[in-house]
Amino acid sequence: MTERIDVEFPSGSQTCRGWLYRPDGPGPAPVLVMAHGLGAIKEMRLDAFAQRFADAGYAALVFDYRHFGDSTGEPRQLLDITLQRQDWSAAVDFARTLPGVDGSRIVLWGTSFSGGHVIATAAGRTDIAAVIAQCPFTDGLASVLAMNPVTLAKLVPRSLADLLAARRQRPRILVPLAGSPGSLGLMTAPDVLPGYLGLLPDGVPFRNEVTAGVGLMIAAAFPGRSARRVNSPILFCICDTDSVAPAKATVRHARTAPRGELKHYPVGHFDIYVGDAFERAVTDQLDFLRRHVPLP
């Protein structure tokens, strides 16, 4: 039977907390290091993916970033790309120390915003066995151009004000993560509110807000450009009608990866976490793992 235990590890001066899924069977098992997308927490369907990987014989380390979920860090809801990439490095280092885990065979698994993080992280390391980037954020310009112009006009001044507040060491300015079309928020396409908040189980505390400055950080981020420097096998799971991370830009970047594989799904950004799309995606991901990171 798969065992899930609470774990924690240091990142900078804070503590990241998460779950370790230990599979039943002979070890040591390869381990997937997993984290969520834009402002999301591990309870938002990462457990479903991790459980399927563990049932198949793989270990999985699932964590919340600093400032989010169960992890420490003030101010709360601070989303900083550099800090989150540091959390990824700390998680990989921690995974290497886990008993019963093959620290020489680590797989990075990222979805949405963290899909970009795993591309950039793998590009800077030579010790990653494989990468899975699901509906990944790859191109800031493409994501900004996909936004509602009314929303964009509301978001830019808030983002500038928040970055100025951070520079002056004043309280940060927050904006919604998910909102209705035309409202103020980082994601406001028609499928966002039901799709994003629909991933959250009943009774799990969650704040639908984040520091506004990340809006400008997103516009200047192009993690997909790092794909050409990822020498590990990397699977791109692309949602063809993605309203958040446009598929066309992702395909363009994915094709530059030396050992890239592309899988397409005729669904939106949030559909891949549930139902038939989830089943197809996790089946494809397990096939990828068995071919490139086989079990002992």
Side-chain angles (χ1 to χ4, degrees):
M1 177 179 291
T2 300
E3 178 186 27
R4 189 182 92 176
I5 60 174
D6 295 335
V7 294
E8 61 182 42
F9 57 90
S11 185
S13 61
Q14 302 298 329
T15 300
C16 289
R17 297 193 174 105
W19 302 315
L20 174 64
Y21 287 76
R22 254 198 263 265
D24 185 25
V31 58
L32 287 87
V33 180
M34 307 173 61
H36 221 311
L38 192 70
I41 56 177
K42 61 186 184 300
E43 287 85 356
M44 296 169 74
R45 291 290 291 174
L46 289 199
D47 49 352
F49 284 93
Q51 185 66 58
R52 291 291 289 272
F53 297 140
D55 289 344
Y58 293 88
L61 171 64
V62 185
F63 71 95
D64 283 329
Y65 298 108
R66 285 175 284 177
H67 307 278
F68 290 91
D70 291 329
S71 297
T72 67
E74 295 290 340
R76 302 306 293 170
Q77 308 305 109
L78 170 64
L79 206 167
D80 183 286
I81 291 175
T82 298
L83 293 180
Q84 291 198 345
R85 299 263 175 90
Q86 291 172 358
D87 291 347
W88 273 99
S89 293
V92 170
D93 292 340
F94 175 65
R96 296 196 185 287
T97 70
L98 294 169
V101 164
D102 185 349
S104 68
R105 295 201 295 163
I106 290 181
V107 179
L108 304 184
W109 187 99
T111 187
S112 191
F113 205 57
S114 68
H117 289 335
V118 296
I119 297 169
T121 300
R125 305 182 70 118
T126 59
D127 55 353
I128 301 301
V131 183
I132 297 173
Q134 176 177 277
C135 55
F137 163 73
T138 60
D139 194 293
L141 179 60
S143 290
V144 168
L145 291 176
M147 292 180 68
N148 184 311
V150 175
T151 293
L152 193 59
K154 295 176 181 178
L155 180 61
V156 169
R158 294 289 185 96
S159 295
L160 288 169
D162 179 51
L163 293 176
L164 183 60
R167 190 167 186 174
R168 294 178 174 176
Q169 297 185 328
R170 292 180 177 176
R172 301 298 296 266
I173 296 170
L174 302 176
V175 295
L177 282 157
S180 58
S183 68
L184 173 64
L186 290 180
M187 301 180 290
T188 62
D191 64 330
V192 167
L193 269 179
Y196 184 74
L197 298 183
L199 302 177
L200 189 69
D202 292 340
V204 175
F206 179 71
R207 292 175 61 179
N208 180 30
E209 57 186 358
V210 70
T211 46
V214 73
L216 291 178
M217 294 180 189
I218 289 171
F222 295 86
R225 293 177 180 173
S226 299
R228 61 174 61 96
R229 296 187 289 110
V230 177
N231 294 316
S232 309
I234 176 169
L235 175 64
F236 295 88
C237 295
I238 300 167
C239 297
D240 289 332
T241 58
D242 200 315
S243 65
V244 176
K248 185 176 179 180
T250 296
V251 169
R252 185 176 71 249
H253 292 300
R255 286 176 175 164
T256 70
R259 302 176 67 186
E261 300 180 19
L262 283 69
K263 289 287 186 180
H264 288 263
Y265 307 89
V267 298
H269 187 81
F270 303 99
D271 298 320
I272 201 167
Y273 298 95
V274 295
D276 291 341
F278 164 78
E279 293 295 337
R280 284 188 55 198
V282 79
T283 297
D284 289 340
Q285 291 167 18
L286 283 169
D287 172 71
F288 172 80
L289 290 171
R290 289 171 181 136
R291 287 185 288 110
H292 294 290
V293 195
L295 295 169

